[in-house]
Amino acid sequence: MAKKKEENISNLPQDILAKLQETKNALLKEEQKQAEEKQARELFERKEREKNLTFEELLERHGDKGNKY
């Protein structure tokens, strides 16, 4: 009795079940890929916005407390 593996409770044939699992895995990978692309795109856009800041905006953000010497 302990030797028995977990039986498949589903009424679906094994080949259909395997195809569904493969499709699920493919969709999860695609979703992860899209999330990574979105994160990279947001990072790039943030860097571009920071690059295009005016001198006045930089002073507002960081203040006038520079100490070159």
Side-chain angles (χ1 to χ4, degrees):
M1 291 175 209
K3 295 179 182 179
K4 285 187 175 180
K5 295 182 180 178
E6 293 180 17
E7 292 184 22
N8 189 3
I9 299 173
S10 175
N11 293 333
L12 295 174
Q14 289 289 46
D15 58 338
I16 294 176
L17 186 61
K19 287 180 183 179
L20 288 173
Q21 288 175 340
E22 288 176 19
T23 305
K24 178 182 175 184
N25 290 337
L27 289 173
L28 288 174
K29 286 180 183 179
E30 181 67 27
E31 183 179 325
Q32 182 181 10
K33 180 182 173 185
Q34 288 177 353
E36 290 172 356
E37 289 174 354
K38 180 181 177 186
Q39 184 180 11
R41 184 174 52 250
E42 289 173 351
L43 179 64
F44 176 76
E45 290 173 356
R46 183 174 54 89
K47 285 184 178 183
E48 287 296 311
R49 281 193 308 270
E50 288 177 358
K51 194 187 308 183
N52 293 329
L53 289 177
T54 64
F55 187 69
E56 181 181 356
E57 292 169 334
L58 288 171
L59 280 176
E60 286 177 9
R61 182 180 286 180
H62 299 289
D64 191 18
K65 53 188 170 189
N67 197 2
K68 185 173 182 179
Y69 298 101

